[in-house]
Each structure stands twice: as structure tokens, then as C-alpha cells.
Amino acid sequence: MKRYGNLWLQITDFENLLTAARQAQKGKRFRENILEFNYHLESELAQIKIELETKNYQPGEYHTFQIVEPKRRMISAAPYRDRVVHHALCNIITPIFEKTFIYDSYANRVGFGTHRALRRFTKFARSSRYVLQCDICKYFPSIDHEILKSLLRRKLKCQETLWLADIIIDNSNEQETILNHFPGDDLFTPLQRRRGLPIGNLTSQFFANIYLNGFDHFVKEDLRAKKYVRYVDDFALFADDKEFLADARKAIENYLARLRLKIHPVKSQLFATFKGANFLGFRVLPDRIRVRTENLRRAKRRLRQIQQDYTQGKIGDKEITQSIQSWFAHLEHGDTWQLRQQILASLVLPESVDHQFC
């Protein structure tokens, strides 16, 4: 297996840092901390460059907050200058790992994404009798630091680059406590191994793909699953042979144990595809694709809040139009024409906005 070195000069190159800053601020450039950073942009990037080159770079403290939808999770936001460093690192090492990823891994990859994954899932579901659909239990909090670092070292040999990756991993903030035991563990092993990556980091999303890349190849090449889709920690295998999928589940559980991961005992199930399967907010049925009820309920609440914000003058025509367009673009990937009309009818929109959706 080829290992890559001599990456550090590319990572610390000023032009790469400048590109990283532009990427990190997309959609957020008017926030106060980013405006301040950009006011001194050249000197800020020069300081980051010096800290990296002298190995004096140290990440700052995370800002953490809880979200409760679609499920309760802790989100961690790194300081802006650290997000610039994350982009600078990923700009250089992503192409190295990208060419090792299988076609049907869809999360956090340019040109892939949720809607492409949904189309593939639908194609497989409608051409197969059975599906084994699995969810990895507490995926981001369970990622083992030692295992992740070893996976990075299989492709990278540049010591400075590995130092930076290690610094980012080691400075992950405390995540949800996971006390899973695996073969060979003693009572205290789960407490002694560092694990968990902060949801919200670009590097965490990228490392999460690397962590399961070997698993993807195992499913495709060792299990010989012809129809397989993964989006972050949700994955599905399709086949006409129910016994093949039942045996695959046992092999999958054994493989994931090597990564110190477990599939969710309730959410991971083998069933007939004609019953319909939930994936990325939609319910895929043999003859149609519907929006999941809980996703629709959340969306309607968000739209009502947006309408209220507009009425109170907190947002303008542009913001309310963009919000509705974004949600409708998502809905268009299902059979939702009537649903979209019902939603529009339930909203009281200004004429300047309403005519854009007629």
C-alpha cells in the first residue's frame, strides 16, 4: 500500500491557508468573530503558518451546545482559526483518501450527498426482496483514537502531517460516555481508551469516513454484497437471499468489534423491502417515496417559526424565500407535489414571496 510523504509544505503554504479561510467562512462571513479575523486576515494567517511550522500550534476550547432534533446530540464548534486549520489539512489529505473510498459511501464527499444516496437506496430497494438496514450505535462518541491514528498511518508517512492530525484528534473535547466491552477487554479497558470525535468539525466528518473505509471494502469484497449503501453510520445491504443477509449481519458485527463499534440492537433489522424502509428522512416504498412523519412535523414547526420571524421583522423576503426553497428542494426528491401545495396553503406569505412558488 502506497504511503504519502512530503505534504507539510503544501499544508502550511500561505495560499492553502488563504483558501482554507475562504472555505471556513462560507455562509458565516458576517459573524462578528469572522469579521474580526478577516480584518487582520494576512497577519492572522501568517501567525497560524508560524505556529504550524514551529509546531507550536494548539487548538482552542470548543463551544458546545445540545440539539434535540432529530435526536439529542452534543454539537461542538471549534474556534474559527482552528476551523481554518482543519480545512488546510483536509485540502491536502482528502484527495489521498478519496480515491480509496468505495462508490457507495455518500456522506461528506464532493458530488455525493443525501439525495444521491437516496436515489441509490431506492434503486437497490426496488430491485431486491430483502434489506439488512443497520445503524451504528453512538458512532462519533465511539470512534477510538488509537485505531483512527493507525488508519491514518496506513496512507500517510509525513510526520508533520501526522503530528497535526494527532493534535486535532487528541484535543477532541469530552464526548458522551460509552462503556462497551469487546473480546480481550478487562473491566477497565473502556475507561482507559480515548475515544470520541466532536460532531461539527470538518475533520471529524472526514475521519469518520476513513474509520469505516475498511469496513466498506469488507462488505463489498469479502462479503461480496453487490448492493450496499452507507451514509455516515447508517448503512444497508440488499439481496434476494434472506439467509445471505442474516449471515452478513453476524460477520458485520464481528468486523465492527475490531473497530470497537456496535450496531444498534433495535434500529438494525432484516426485513422485506415491500414493507418500506426509512432512509435520510424519507420512507422508500415500492411505488412511491414519502416524507417520514416525524421529519415533516419538524419541518412544519420550522416553517411556522420562519413565518413568525418574518412577521416580527427579524428576517426579510430573501431569507424566508431561501428557507422555503431549501426545504422544497429537499421534498422534490420524494413524491410530494400535493404535500408541497398543502404546506404553501397553510402559510401566510407576502405576495412578493408567494408568487415565486406558484
Side-chain angles (χ1 to χ4, degrees):
M1 179 183 292
K2 181 177 180 181
R3 297 173 68 225
Y4 291 79
N6 302 317
L7 304 172
W8 193 236
L9 291 179
Q10 299 175 58
I11 293 171
T12 58
D13 180 75
F14 190 85
E15 286 301 317
N16 182 48
L17 293 174
L18 181 59
T19 299
R22 290 169 178 160
Q23 293 166 328
Q25 68 178 266
K26 281 185 179 178
K28 309 167 187 173
R29 62 193 180 96
F30 293 113
R31 294 183 180 179
E32 185 175 345
N33 62 327
I34 298 176
L35 288 171
E36 183 178 353
F37 185 96
N38 286 341
Y39 187 76
H40 305 284
L41 180 62
E42 188 170 332
S43 61
E44 290 279 7
L45 295 180
Q47 181 60 34
I48 291 174
K49 180 176 172 66
I50 291 171
E51 290 177 17
L52 291 174
E53 290 175 337
T54 59
K55 292 189 177 180
N56 286 317
Y57 168 72
Q58 187 66 29
E61 294 291 325
Y62 284 93
H63 167 64
T64 62
F65 55 95
Q66 296 281 341
I67 63 170
V68 296
E69 293 184 345
K71 56 186 178 182
R72 181 173 292 277
R73 291 185 299 175
M74 183 177 80
I75 305 298
S76 303
Y80 178 67
R81 74 190 309 268
D82 291 336
R83 299 202 295 273
V84 172
V85 174
H86 298 167
H87 278 276
L89 173 65
C90 288
N91 285 347
I92 306 305
I93 68 173
T94 294
I96 293 171
F97 288 92
E98 176 66 30
K99 52 190 166 187
T100 72
F101 294 157
I102 67 166
Y103 179 84
D104 284 314
S105 168
Y106 289 92
N108 309 310
R109 297 175 66 190
V110 176
F112 286 74
T114 57
H115 297 141
R116 190 168 170 179
L118 177 65
R119 289 195 297 271
R120 190 70 160 172
F121 185 97
T122 302
K123 178 182 178 180
F124 288 161
R126 290 178 176 174
S127 61
S128 309
R129 294 180 62 191
Y130 300 101
V131 57
L132 171 63
Q133 193 167 10
C134 300
D135 174 272
I136 295 177
C137 193
K138 307 289 184 183
Y139 180 47
F140 279 88
S142 298
I143 292 176
D144 187 274
H145 289 191
E146 183 179 334
I147 295 173
L148 174 58
K149 290 177 182 180
S150 71
L151 294 174
L152 290 171
R153 281 158 173 77
R154 290 185 184 181
K155 295 298 292 182
L156 305 176
K157 62 180 179 181
C158 175
Q159 292 304 308
E160 293 85 357
T161 301
L162 290 169
W163 166 80
L164 178 57
D166 288 352
I167 282 284
I168 294 171
I169 294 168
D170 291 341
N171 280 271
S172 299
N173 58 339
E174 189 71 25
Q175 300 294 303
E176 181 180 351
T177 301
I178 307 294
L179 294 176
N180 288 329
H181 285 80
F182 297 91
D185 287 0
D186 60 31
L187 182 63
F188 300 103
T189 300
L191 299 172
Q192 294 167 343
R193 299 184 69 99
R194 286 215 62 201
R195 64 199 172 280
L197 297 180
I199 299 174
N201 274 6
L202 173 69
T203 47
S204 296
Q205 297 164 9
F206 177 59
F207 291 157
N209 268 347
I210 293 173
Y211 203 77
L212 286 177
N213 186 35
F215 170 71
D216 292 337
H217 284 275
F218 168 75
V219 172
K220 295 292 291 182
E221 297 158 18
D222 291 46
L223 299 184
R224 299 183 181 276
K226 295 180 179 179
K227 300 176 182 179
Y228 166 73
V229 177
R230 181 174 67 83
Y231 191 91
V232 193
D233 58 340
D234 293 328
F235 61 90
L237 291 76
F238 302 83
D240 292 330
D241 185 345
K242 189 174 183 179
E243 291 304 314
F244 166 76
L245 294 178
D247 291 341
R249 174 169 180 153
K250 297 174 186 175
I252 284 169
E253 289 176 334
N254 290 335
Y255 186 97
L256 290 176
R258 290 155 51 184
L259 297 174
R260 303 189 66 80
L261 299 174
K262 292 186 177 183
I263 59 174
H264 197 289
V266 176
K267 295 180 181 178
S268 302
Q269 296 185 4
L270 169 57
F271 55 94
T273 54
F274 78 86
K275 295 181 179 179
N278 296 329
F279 191 62
L280 300 178
F282 290 91
R283 184 160 183 79
V284 178
L285 296 156
D287 59 344
R288 62 195 182 279
I289 302 174
R290 303 174 65 176
V291 181
R292 291 183 65 189
T293 302
E294 59 187 84
N295 292 71
L296 181 59
R297 189 181 300 116
R298 286 196 300 270
K300 286 182 175 179
R301 281 203 300 268
R302 285 199 299 269
L303 288 173
R304 284 196 294 268
Q305 183 61 53
I306 289 169
Q307 180 175 297
Q308 183 177 333
D309 289 344
Y310 180 85
T311 302
Q312 295 175 354
K314 296 179 181 178
I315 61 174
D317 288 8
K318 181 179 178 180
E319 289 81 5
I320 193 172
T321 300
Q322 287 176 341
S323 296
I324 296 173
Q325 284 176 338
S326 176
W327 174 235
F328 275 25
H330 180 62
L331 286 180
E332 286 173 1
H333 290 270
D335 302 305
T336 59
W337 187 86
Q338 289 186 333
L339 173 62
R340 280 176 273 146
Q341 301 312 304
Q342 292 170 5
I343 292 174
L344 278 176
S346 69
L347 296 173
V348 181
L349 299 173
E351 186 175 343
S352 59
V353 175
D354 190 48
H355 83 276
Q356 297 188 49
F357 300 96
C358 296

